[in-house]
């Protein structure tokens, strides 16, 4: 009869248990003793441990810097996407002002009235396109003065209005989403 050779297949749990029994982490003293056994002095070992600690700290700082960089790039990219139309809208605002001035003029005659009606259609179309991009006019007249939205260019004393109230709007202000792209130029009651 042939003798069967038995192979000891150790279960992973058994192997893990043996490693735990052998000792978990080495202490610094044990590493120093082992290093001295390998021909390293305790001073050299301490120096190498210090260099290792410095390298680990440098690595952690670099990792934190990189995480901060990624976060800043993400925020900048989101802001650039959100406000991508700001420069174009800022360039178009004077044209809106000119349309409003032209439309406020009273016209006489059938030909002039139809021309004004055509201008109104173009103005509304332009305004609707800008609203789709997030442009909103700032309400001013009759509202309390807010330096975050209004630029006071004049002050008056009028008993018909409360103190610190916008009496008249000289130039319309606009918001792009949540950012002021042009302040309302207003006259404020004292």
């Amino acid at each position: 009869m042939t003798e069967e050779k038995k192979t000891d297949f150790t279960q992973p749990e058994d192997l893990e248990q043996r490693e735990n029994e052998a000792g978990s982490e080495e202490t610094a003293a044990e590493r120093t003793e082992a290093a001295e056994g390998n021909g390293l002095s305790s001073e050299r070992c301490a120096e190498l441990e210090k260099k290792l600690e410095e390298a680990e700290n440098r690595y952690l700082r670099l990792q934190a810097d990189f995480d901060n960089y990624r976060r800043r790039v993400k925020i900048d990219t989101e802001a650039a996407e959100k406000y991508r139309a700001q420069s174009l809208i800022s360039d178009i605002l004077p044209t809106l002002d000119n349309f409003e001035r032209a439309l406020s003029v009273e016209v006489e005659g059938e030909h002039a009235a139809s021309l004004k009606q055509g201008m109104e259609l173009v103005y509304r179309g332009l305004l609707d396109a800008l609203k789709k991009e997030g442009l909103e006019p700032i309400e001013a007249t009759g509202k309390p003065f807010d330096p975050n939205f209004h630029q006071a260019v004049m002050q008056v004393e009028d008993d018909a209005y409360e103190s610190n109230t916008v009496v008249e709007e000289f130039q319309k202000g606009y918001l792009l989403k949540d950012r002021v792209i042009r302040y309302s130029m207003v006259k404020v009651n004292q």
Side-chain angles (χ1 to χ4, degrees):
M1 215 167 177
T2 48
E3 192 176 307
E4 289 183 30
K5 189 176 183 181
K6 290 189 175 182
T7 310
D8 182 27
F9 292 103
T10 315
Q11 296 296 324
E13 298 90 28
D14 295 338
L15 186 59
E16 190 175 301
Q17 184 178 4
R18 286 184 195 164
E19 288 174 356
N20 287 339
E21 288 172 2
S24 49
E25 295 184 25
E26 290 181 89
T27 63
E30 290 172 338
R31 284 194 301 261
T32 305
E33 287 177 21
E36 287 176 352
N38 292 334
L40 293 174
S41 68
S42 62
E43 293 172 359
R44 178 73 176 142
C45 182
E47 180 184 330
L48 291 174
E49 284 180 359
K50 183 179 176 186
K51 284 185 178 182
L52 176 64
E53 186 178 326
E54 288 173 0
E56 287 175 347
N57 286 336
R58 209 170 343 154
Y59 168 75
L60 292 174
R61 281 192 302 271
L62 283 172
Q63 184 67 34
D65 287 345
F66 183 68
D67 289 343
N68 290 337
Y69 170 76
R70 278 195 318 206
R71 198 172 16 260
R72 278 192 310 268
V73 166
K74 182 180 177 189
I75 290 169
D76 290 347
T77 304
E78 289 171 355
E81 178 61 29
K82 186 175 182 179
Y83 302 111
R84 71 185 187 288
Q86 182 174 349
S87 65
L88 176 64
I89 291 174
S90 294
D91 292 342
I92 292 176
L93 289 181
T95 305
L96 282 179
D97 295 336
N98 291 335
F99 265 113
E100 289 171 358
R101 280 188 214 102
L103 293 173
S104 67
V105 172
E106 292 296 322
V107 294
E108 294 179 14
E110 191 176 312
H111 182 65
S114 65
L115 184 62
K116 184 176 179 181
Q117 185 180 11
M119 285 180 60
E120 285 176 356
L121 290 174
V122 172
Y123 172 73
R124 276 192 249 124
L126 182 60
L127 203 54
D128 288 343
L130 293 173
K131 283 183 180 181
K132 286 180 186 175
E133 287 295 319
L135 184 72
E136 293 293 325
I138 296 173
E139 297 297 324
T141 306
K143 304 283 183 187
F145 175 75
D146 185 352
N148 296 316
F149 300 109
H150 307 128
Q151 178 182 359
V153 293
M154 236 175 141
Q155 281 189 338
V156 294
E157 287 188 35
D158 191 346
D159 295 335
Y161 293 96
E162 291 182 26
S163 178
N164 207 29
T165 302
V166 175
V167 175
E168 185 180 347
E169 181 179 51
F170 296 118
Q171 185 179 45
K172 200 179 271 189
Y174 292 96
L175 290 169
L176 178 60
K177 301 192 179 178
D178 58 352
R179 182 185 286 179
V180 176
I181 58 172
R182 186 171 79 183
Y183 294 90
S184 297
M185 290 175 48
V186 296
K187 182 193 303 185
V188 181
N189 192 30
Q190 285 185 342

